[in-house]
Amino acid sequence: MSNENFQSRFDPGNADARWQAAWDEARCFEADSASSKPKSYVLEMFPYPSGRIHIGHVRNYTMGDVLARYRKMQGFEVLHPMGWDAFGMPAENAAMEKGVHPAGWTYDNIATMKGQLKQLGFALDWSREFATCDASYYGHEQALFIDLFKAGLVYRKESEVNWDPVDMTVLANEQVIDGKGWRSGADIEKRKLNQWFLKITDFAEDLLDGLGTLEDWPQKVRLMQENWIGKSQGLEFSFELSNGEKLPVYTTRPDTIFGASFVAVAADHPVAQSLDSDAARDFIALCKKGGTTAAELETAEKLGFDTGITAKHPFTGAELPVYIANFVLMDYGTGAIMAVPGHDQRDFEFASKYSLPIPRVVASSLEEAGKPFAGEAEAGDGVIVNSGFLSGMAVEEAKREVITRAEAGGWGKGTTVWRLRDWGVSRQRYWGTPIPFIHCETCGVVPVPKEQLPVKLPEDVSFEQPGNPLLRHPTWKHVACPKCGGAAERETDTLDTFVNSSWYFLRFASQPADTPFDPAEIATWLPVGQYIGGVEHAILHLLYARFWTRALAHIGKLEVTEPFASLFTQGMVTHETYSRKIDGREVYFTPAEVDRSGTGAVLTADGAPVDIGKVIKMSKSKKNVVDPEDIIRDYGADAVRWFMLSDSPPERDLPWSEAGIEGCGRFVQRLWRLFAQCGNGGAGADANHDRALDRKLNQTVAAVAADIEALSFNKAVARIYELVGAVEKAELSSTRSDAIRKLAILVSPMMPHLAEEARAQFNLGIGLVAEDRWPEVDPALLVDDEVTIAVQHMGKLRDTLTAPKGAPKEDLEALALASEKVQRSIDGATIRKVIVVPDRLVNIVT
RNA sequence: GCCUCUGUGGCGGAAUUGGUAGACGCGCUCGACUCAAAAUCGAGUUUCUUACGAAGUGCCGGUUCGAGUCCGGCCAGAGGUACCA
């Protein structure tokens, strides 16, 4: 027992920093592109430097870290980098609220957060770190943007923004609350601006097809992207209008054409814009109210304006009224629709409101042709009714028939329409990548010559008034035209921050000074072997990154088209909220301010109770946050890491619990005590072998490896608990000491500091655990030779019995029928059938 | 509104993918050690029932010898919804 006097407790306050320094010194985690080992690129979504690391980051980076450390132990050369998604709105908000410069605020935050990440002992290659707000990063982005422009993938067009008429500025969607500006409180309206766009729609088909190759992506993400891209087959045809013009419309349901009872156009549509009446102008102005989000547009009350124009139905010749409708989008299809209220819910609501006919043209059978609607549209499948030559056809057949007739008659054609819209990348803001173009009155829009890149942000800006500081900067935008040398102006819009995050993973893999990346080096690392991040990025970030990669491949910069071979989307960290109503407003308190030891919750400061709210995602606004640094100080990095991996499956939400982290802290010490016993009880020649423990050890090594590879960390944790329990209970033997040595390796991806400290203190091995190999498994020890068989009568469990593995069916049946409990249950009834599943169960059917 | 996902003990969850529901952990209860407490160790812990046993995986129905798992219909919550990142 002499070992136990060594040090009875593991002291993370002492050990953590020491081992972090040891890994740094040995440069364990710097990736060598020239290595002959197989390569593995493990990447977590890089953080926005908001100020301090939050628990969601800790969870995300712990998962990646376990995988990176495990892959390294499996003999891979691992690239596991980290950097900063450093442009964005919060820096400008801080500038306005606190009077600090966005750059200073951002780089201070990065310094703080880097220190916090270091305390967690992540196996990161910090030599590749950068921030997207470094001119050495965004300058290359500007060069790529110009390349895409030259390839015809960048263009300008008018597009709507949220306009705050009081602050005279553009607002982000999240800054519009209930249709009002968050600072001014003014009613927000839609306003058109000339903006920059990327032609993601050129790649719609390819982005859709590519999803089929992403077998290691979650099915739900692929489905979401598929629906977002939204390929639809339909009919485009033109109505002849009573004013003599033609109105092209697009429909995905040509089969319901006989059910059309009116026609609707968007407020921006030329037909609407050309109306010369105050009432029409007032209605179009009404449609301008409110923000631009889809959720707002689609949930708003359906409103329409009868233009007085009519449209002639191509088959019946009926004159249908043409409305301006607020739910028709100019961006989708032709900006005009044939409305079939019986079989589209939006059209149904509109028709009900304006007392328009709602004919039925689809029913479950021809006999149901006269059935009334039950207060809502029927969008489902069925047979066509009340539709002349289409009646009696199935929906799909009718679609084909209408398209055929339209094409034959020359008044329409079958077309493919995409829901996906081009990517608007213009932002009327300061803290982003300047769009590297110059507007010249004689030469038009001219790219900045590459030798003049990067176009750097000016530092002397003020945020005392709302709006884009670049626009009102006294000198910055005034430059000579690169073509004609005349007076010209810089573009003052900056790029969407999603552009920054669309290629950072390339820059991590290769970062030459003079070009964005070296294609040969990219080829050694890409695609990313495992990408891990929040499911909230399932569509936008991941689709934009897929597009940007394709676009670069299209212009010959890259070979890869899919940047992320395998994707994992993690859940959020949640906690209950604490609040009080003070003067009618909900005031929130952090868990650290609240004592939860009794039945309710009381504020430590005044001892009076607070209300306990729902368990929701940790957020600053609800104050239900825990600062990782506090927990690391109290329990050590390994306990925090272990908690992040325990219990909850990584794709699900993780409820933070004080009791849970305490339990993890206790487990760290329990392991420490076990490691201390390694030398005990015979590493000698006469040491006995414990076959059962050896089997358990081998099974655990194999299972933990499989669980880590599947990112099922909660299952790996449960396996380790089981093994620890078995080792603790086992008699002293050489097997037991061997198990303890291997246990230190097994837990090292999760608890690297403890593993290193225990190995050094108790002689569990040579060298750094981080540099060691994953234990070999003896396949012969993986299978048990006895199995437990369930015996059922009519599907209900009546008995269990033990049988040798692989026992023949007849033996199992005989054993089952011999059971007294089974016989009592059968009670003399005639046995009709016996189902035997080898090594599993016997079910007797009477 | 639309798209996607989730729902199992007091709590987080497991279940070899159609074959013993509740592994493992947290919490709680009892016991050992201690003058006492903490720590640690041991036993127990789905519900109902004295027991035999029965019920049970959000709700309703279906397929099957057998359903947490598959199918249909609901309900609730979460994420996204193109300028939060």
Side-chain angles (χ1 to χ4, degrees), chain A residues 383-415:
Chain A
V383 59
I384 305 296
V385 297
N386 306 324
S387 296
F389 59 87
L390 292 178
S391 295
M393 290 186 189
V395 163
E396 286 307 314
E397 186 188 3
K399 281 182 182 174
R400 284 193 299 274
E401 178 64 22
V402 172
I403 291 171
T404 305
R405 290 201 184 212
E407 287 176 347
W411 51 271
K413 64 179 195 319
T415 44

Short mmCIF file of all heavy atoms in Angstrom, two decimals, chain A residues 383-415:
data_model
loop_
_atom_site.label_atom_id
_atom_site.label_comp_id
_atom_site.label_asym_id
_atom_site.label_seq_id
_atom_site.Cartn_x
_atom_site.Cartn_y
_atom_site.Cartn_z
N VAL A 383 -57.88 11.76 -56.84
CA VAL A 383 -58.29 11.68 -58.23
C VAL A 383 -58.87 13.05 -58.63
O VAL A 383 -59.51 13.72 -57.83
CB VAL A 383 -59.30 10.52 -58.44
CG1 VAL A 383 -60.55 10.71 -57.59
CG2 VAL A 383 -59.68 10.38 -59.91
N ILE A 384 -58.59 13.44 -59.91
CA ILE A 384 -59.03 14.76 -60.37
C ILE A 384 -60.55 14.71 -60.68
O ILE A 384 -61.03 13.76 -61.30
CB ILE A 384 -58.25 15.16 -61.64
CG1 ILE A 384 -56.74 15.11 -61.39
CG2 ILE A 384 -58.69 16.54 -62.14
CD1 ILE A 384 -56.23 16.08 -60.37
N VAL A 385 -61.26 15.74 -60.22
CA VAL A 385 -62.72 15.82 -60.45
C VAL A 385 -63.06 17.22 -60.95
O VAL A 385 -62.25 18.15 -60.84
CB VAL A 385 -63.52 15.53 -59.16
CG1 VAL A 385 -63.26 14.10 -58.68
CG2 VAL A 385 -63.16 16.52 -58.04
N ASN A 386 -64.27 17.35 -61.51
CA ASN A 386 -64.79 18.66 -61.95
C ASN A 386 -63.81 19.39 -62.88
O ASN A 386 -63.69 20.61 -62.83
CB ASN A 386 -65.11 19.57 -60.76
CG ASN A 386 -66.05 18.92 -59.76
OD1 ASN A 386 -66.95 18.17 -60.16
ND2 ASN A 386 -65.84 19.17 -58.49
N SER A 387 -63.09 18.64 -63.71
CA SER A 387 -62.02 19.25 -64.48
C SER A 387 -62.02 18.85 -65.94
O SER A 387 -60.97 18.64 -66.55
CB SER A 387 -60.66 18.87 -63.86
OG SER A 387 -60.55 19.39 -62.56
N GLY A 388 -63.19 18.70 -66.53
CA GLY A 388 -63.26 18.41 -67.96
C GLY A 388 -62.47 17.16 -68.33
O GLY A 388 -62.66 16.11 -67.71
N PHE A 389 -61.58 17.31 -69.27
CA PHE A 389 -60.83 16.14 -69.79
C PHE A 389 -59.88 15.53 -68.76
O PHE A 389 -59.38 14.44 -68.94
CB PHE A 389 -60.05 16.54 -71.05
CG PHE A 389 -59.06 17.64 -70.83
CD1 PHE A 389 -57.77 17.36 -70.41
CD2 PHE A 389 -59.44 18.98 -71.03
CE1 PHE A 389 -56.87 18.39 -70.21
CE2 PHE A 389 -58.53 19.99 -70.83
CZ PHE A 389 -57.24 19.72 -70.41
N LEU A 390 -59.61 16.25 -67.65
CA LEU A 390 -58.71 15.70 -66.63
C LEU A 390 -59.44 14.81 -65.63
O LEU A 390 -58.82 14.01 -64.94
CB LEU A 390 -58.03 16.85 -65.85
CG LEU A 390 -57.04 17.73 -66.59
CD1 LEU A 390 -56.53 18.82 -65.67
CD2 LEU A 390 -55.88 16.90 -67.12
N SER A 391 -60.75 14.96 -65.53
CA SER A 391 -61.51 14.25 -64.50
C SER A 391 -61.27 12.75 -64.59
O SER A 391 -61.30 12.18 -65.69
CB SER A 391 -63.01 14.55 -64.65
OG SER A 391 -63.24 15.92 -64.39
N GLY A 392 -61.02 12.15 -63.45
CA GLY A 392 -60.79 10.72 -63.38
C GLY A 392 -59.31 10.36 -63.39
O GLY A 392 -58.94 9.24 -63.05
N MET A 393 -58.45 11.30 -63.76
CA MET A 393 -57.01 10.99 -63.77
C MET A 393 -56.43 11.10 -62.36
O MET A 393 -56.96 11.79 -61.50
CB MET A 393 -56.27 12.00 -64.66
CG MET A 393 -56.53 11.86 -66.14
SD MET A 393 -55.44 12.99 -67.03
CE MET A 393 -56.11 12.85 -68.68
N ALA A 394 -55.30 10.37 -62.16
CA ALA A 394 -54.55 10.54 -60.93
C ALA A 394 -53.78 11.86 -61.03
O ALA A 394 -53.57 12.39 -62.12
CB ALA A 394 -53.57 9.39 -60.74
N VAL A 395 -53.35 12.39 -59.87
CA VAL A 395 -52.69 13.69 -59.81
C VAL A 395 -51.48 13.76 -60.74
O VAL A 395 -51.36 14.69 -61.55
CB VAL A 395 -52.29 14.01 -58.35
CG1 VAL A 395 -51.26 15.13 -58.31
CG2 VAL A 395 -53.52 14.39 -57.53
N GLU A 396 -50.60 12.77 -60.67
CA GLU A 396 -49.38 12.80 -61.47
C GLU A 396 -49.67 12.73 -62.96
O GLU A 396 -49.06 13.41 -63.77
CB GLU A 396 -48.43 11.66 -61.06
CG GLU A 396 -47.72 11.87 -59.72
CD GLU A 396 -46.99 13.22 -59.63
OE1 GLU A 396 -46.29 13.59 -60.59
OE2 GLU A 396 -47.17 13.90 -58.61
N GLU A 397 -50.64 11.89 -63.31
CA GLU A 397 -51.05 11.73 -64.71
C GLU A 397 -51.60 13.05 -65.24
O GLU A 397 -51.28 13.49 -66.36
CB GLU A 397 -52.12 10.62 -64.77
CG GLU A 397 -52.54 10.23 -66.16
CD GLU A 397 -53.74 9.26 -66.12
OE1 GLU A 397 -54.25 8.98 -65.01
OE2 GLU A 397 -54.16 8.81 -67.19
N ALA A 398 -52.40 13.72 -64.43
CA ALA A 398 -53.02 14.98 -64.83
C ALA A 398 -51.97 16.07 -65.01
O ALA A 398 -52.06 16.90 -65.92
CB ALA A 398 -54.06 15.41 -63.79
N LYS A 399 -50.94 16.07 -64.15
CA LYS A 399 -49.85 17.04 -64.29
C LYS A 399 -49.21 16.89 -65.67
O LYS A 399 -49.00 17.88 -66.38
CB LYS A 399 -48.77 16.81 -63.22
CG LYS A 399 -49.12 17.37 -61.84
CD LYS A 399 -47.97 17.13 -60.87
CE LYS A 399 -48.35 17.64 -59.48
NZ LYS A 399 -47.34 17.31 -58.46
N ARG A 400 -48.90 15.66 -66.03
CA ARG A 400 -48.24 15.41 -67.32
C ARG A 400 -49.15 15.83 -68.48
O ARG A 400 -48.70 16.43 -69.44
CB ARG A 400 -47.88 13.92 -67.45
CG ARG A 400 -46.66 13.51 -66.63
CD ARG A 400 -46.16 12.12 -67.04
NE ARG A 400 -47.15 11.08 -66.85
CZ ARG A 400 -47.34 10.43 -65.70
NH1 ARG A 400 -46.59 10.71 -64.65
NH2 ARG A 400 -48.26 9.49 -65.61
N GLU A 401 -50.44 15.53 -68.34
CA GLU A 401 -51.40 15.83 -69.41
C GLU A 401 -51.50 17.33 -69.66
O GLU A 401 -51.48 17.79 -70.80
CB GLU A 401 -52.77 15.24 -69.05
CG GLU A 401 -53.87 15.52 -70.06
CD GLU A 401 -53.60 14.87 -71.42
OE1 GLU A 401 -52.81 13.90 -71.49
OE2 GLU A 401 -54.16 15.36 -72.43
N VAL A 402 -51.57 18.12 -68.58
CA VAL A 402 -51.71 19.56 -68.72
C VAL A 402 -50.44 20.15 -69.35
O VAL A 402 -50.52 20.99 -70.25
CB VAL A 402 -52.01 20.23 -67.36
CG1 VAL A 402 -51.95 21.76 -67.48
CG2 VAL A 402 -53.37 19.80 -66.85
N ILE A 403 -49.28 19.66 -68.90
CA ILE A 403 -48.02 20.17 -69.46
C ILE A 403 -47.93 19.84 -70.95
O ILE A 403 -47.58 20.67 -71.77
CB ILE A 403 -46.81 19.61 -68.67
CG1 ILE A 403 -46.78 20.21 -67.27
CG2 ILE A 403 -45.49 19.90 -69.40
CD1 ILE A 403 -45.77 19.58 -66.32
N THR A 404 -48.31 18.60 -71.30
CA THR A 404 -48.29 18.19 -72.71
C THR A 404 -49.18 19.10 -73.56
O THR A 404 -48.77 19.58 -74.62
CB THR A 404 -48.79 16.73 -72.84
OG1 THR A 404 -47.99 15.91 -71.99
CG2 THR A 404 -48.67 16.24 -74.27
N ARG A 405 -50.39 19.37 -73.08
CA ARG A 405 -51.34 20.21 -73.85
C ARG A 405 -50.85 21.66 -73.94
O ARG A 405 -51.01 22.30 -74.97
CB ARG A 405 -52.72 20.19 -73.19
CG ARG A 405 -53.40 18.83 -73.33
CD ARG A 405 -54.89 18.95 -73.16
NE ARG A 405 -55.51 17.63 -73.20
CZ ARG A 405 -56.73 17.42 -73.67
NH1 ARG A 405 -57.45 18.42 -74.11
NH2 ARG A 405 -57.23 16.20 -73.67
N ALA A 406 -50.24 22.15 -72.85
CA ALA A 406 -49.75 23.53 -72.85
C ALA A 406 -48.61 23.67 -73.85
O ALA A 406 -48.55 24.65 -74.60
CB ALA A 406 -49.28 23.92 -71.46
N GLU A 407 -47.74 22.67 -73.88
CA GLU A 407 -46.61 22.73 -74.81
C GLU A 407 -47.10 22.59 -76.25
O GLU A 407 -46.64 23.31 -77.15
CB GLU A 407 -45.57 21.66 -74.46
CG GLU A 407 -44.82 22.02 -73.17
CD GLU A 407 -43.83 20.96 -72.69
OE1 GLU A 407 -43.88 19.82 -73.22
OE2 GLU A 407 -43.02 21.29 -71.81
N ALA A 408 -48.06 21.68 -76.47
CA ALA A 408 -48.61 21.49 -77.81
C ALA A 408 -49.31 22.75 -78.30
O ALA A 408 -49.19 23.13 -79.46
CB ALA A 408 -49.58 20.30 -77.82
N GLY A 409 -50.01 23.41 -77.38
CA GLY A 409 -50.74 24.63 -77.74
C GLY A 409 -49.85 25.86 -77.78
O GLY A 409 -50.30 26.93 -78.15
N GLY A 410 -48.60 25.70 -77.35
CA GLY A 410 -47.66 26.80 -77.41
C GLY A 410 -47.88 27.89 -76.37
O GLY A 410 -47.31 28.97 -76.47
N TRP A 411 -48.71 27.64 -75.33
CA TRP A 411 -48.96 28.70 -74.34
C TRP A 411 -48.29 28.41 -73.00
O TRP A 411 -48.48 29.16 -72.03
CB TRP A 411 -50.46 28.95 -74.16
CG TRP A 411 -51.29 27.71 -73.92
CD1 TRP A 411 -51.87 26.92 -74.87
CD2 TRP A 411 -51.61 27.12 -72.65
NE1 TRP A 411 -52.53 25.87 -74.28
CE2 TRP A 411 -52.39 25.97 -72.92
CE3 TRP A 411 -51.33 27.45 -71.33
CZ2 TRP A 411 -52.88 25.15 -71.91
CZ3 TRP A 411 -51.81 26.63 -70.31
CH2 TRP A 411 -52.58 25.49 -70.60
N GLY A 412 -47.49 27.36 -72.93
CA GLY A 412 -46.81 27.08 -71.65
C GLY A 412 -45.81 25.97 -71.83
O GLY A 412 -45.78 25.32 -72.88
N LYS A 413 -44.95 25.77 -70.82
CA LYS A 413 -44.01 24.66 -70.91
C LYS A 413 -43.64 24.15 -69.50
O LYS A 413 -43.69 24.91 -68.52
CB LYS A 413 -42.74 25.07 -71.66
CG LYS A 413 -41.90 26.14 -71.01
CD LYS A 413 -40.67 26.41 -71.88
CE LYS A 413 -39.56 27.17 -71.21
NZ LYS A 413 -39.86 28.28 -70.36
N GLY A 414 -43.30 22.84 -69.49
CA GLY A 414 -42.87 22.24 -68.21
C GLY A 414 -41.52 22.82 -67.82
O GLY A 414 -40.63 22.89 -68.65
N THR A 415 -41.37 23.25 -66.58
CA THR A 415 -40.09 23.83 -66.15
C THR A 415 -39.72 23.33 -64.77
O THR A 415 -40.54 22.84 -64.01
CB THR A 415 -40.13 25.37 -66.07
OG1 THR A 415 -41.34 25.76 -65.44
CG2 THR A 415 -40.02 26.02 -67.42
#
